[in-house]
Amino acid sequence: MRQDEKRDPGLRILGFIFGAVALWGTTYVAASRMINHSSASAKFRAAGVVIGVLGFLFWQLATAKLILLQDEFTRRIHLIALAIAFAATWLFIFTTDLLQRAGFIHFVQLRTIWLVMLATWGLAILGGEWYYRR
Amino acid sequence: MKNRLRVLRAEQNWSQAELAMRVGVTRQAINAIETGRYDPGLPLAMKIARIFEQKVDDIFELEDTD
């Protein structure tokens, strides 16, 4: 038996999650620095965008792979959580659009939107687990 | 849908975790099925039936509200 097969699968998954998040975080910080560099050329900033997108894409694919590795019950929780995150983000965008056009708020950063989606997704996973556990 | 999973598991003197391991799902999945909050898909229902050497119909039963 190979050494990596002896390891706890839970630990392997945890390592995979940390690895994907660390890569996303690292590429995000690097991309932010590159695109915010005032004297940087367009090529340099474009490279920053590509690095940021690739890091995020890898994290998305890793997360999707992880979800698909789970049993049908856990996948159900993730499906519900993703649906909730999608609906909540849509509601957030719709509401802020109206508030902006009505002149109540000035400007909403795109970053805020994906952070809302991420937070809603996380909360929905916890909520789903709580619902089935209680 | 109602089921006899808790009774069958008790007859075998298995914990939820033990049954979960045998079927290849999480303990939370077994708990959710037993409490009626989650109806398993056909492959999982058949695996459970096979573990207990019963027919799916003998474990899971449709209710009028289903």
Side-chain angles (χ1 to χ4, degrees):
Chain A
M1 186 183 281
R2 287 192 351 236
Q3 189 63 33
D4 59 339
E5 285 174 334
K6 287 182 187 170
R7 267 190 276 162
D8 184 348
L11 275 178
R12 227 170 31 195
I13 288 174
L14 204 62
F16 192 54
I17 293 171
F18 275 117
V21 171
L23 184 68
W24 176 25
T26 308
T27 53
Y28 182 72
V29 170
S32 296
R33 285 188 180 169
M34 289 170 79
I35 60 181
N36 289 331
H37 210 279
S38 57
S39 60
S41 66
K43 275 185 183 172
F44 187 74
R45 284 181 282 120
V49 172
V50 170
I51 287 171
V53 169
L54 287 179
F56 184 63
L57 189 62
F58 177 79
W59 175 80
Q60 278 191 320
L61 291 173
T63 305
K65 176 77 178 167
L66 270 176
I67 291 172
L68 291 172
L69 284 174
Q70 309 300 311
D71 63 53
E72 64 166 61
F73 172 69
T74 310
R75 288 203 304 265
R76 164 76 69 89
I77 290 178
H78 278 287
L79 185 66
I80 293 169
L82 285 169
I84 290 172
F86 176 79
T89 309
W90 197 348
L91 180 67
F92 178 76
I93 293 169
F94 187 80
T95 308
T96 49
D97 175 44
L98 287 179
L99 287 171
Q100 201 170 309
R101 283 160 54 197
F104 290 115
I105 56 174
H106 178 58
F107 175 70
V108 178
Q109 288 197 345
L110 288 173
R111 194 186 308 165
T112 311
I113 296 171
W114 70 255
L115 282 173
V116 164
M117 189 170 219
L118 190 66
T120 317
W121 179 44
L123 287 173
I125 291 172
L126 293 176
E129 286 178 349
W130 171 81
Y131 172 78
Y132 285 111
R133 199 176 50 227
R134 72 195 162 96
Chain B
M1 185 177 278
K2 60 183 178 181
N3 66 76
R4 297 173 50 233
L5 196 56
R6 192 185 294 272
V7 175
L8 291 169
R9 183 173 60 77
E11 283 173 3
Q12 298 291 330
N13 207 19
W14 290 340
S15 65
Q16 287 184 340
E18 193 171 352
L19 176 59
M21 196 185 66
R22 286 171 186 268
V23 181
V25 296
T26 58
R27 190 196 61 76
Q28 285 79 7
I30 299 297
N31 183 57
I33 294 169
E34 285 188 358
T35 54
R37 292 189 196 283
Y38 176 66
D39 295 330
L42 197 51
L44 179 54
M46 291 181 80
K47 272 187 198 173
I48 290 170
R50 188 182 295 168
I51 292 281
F52 289 112
E53 296 178 347
Q54 306 232 357
K55 290 179 182 169
V56 173
D57 274 8
D58 294 334
I59 303 175
F60 299 96
E61 190 183 331
L62 274 177
E63 292 179 292
D64 293 339
T65 50
D66 289 326

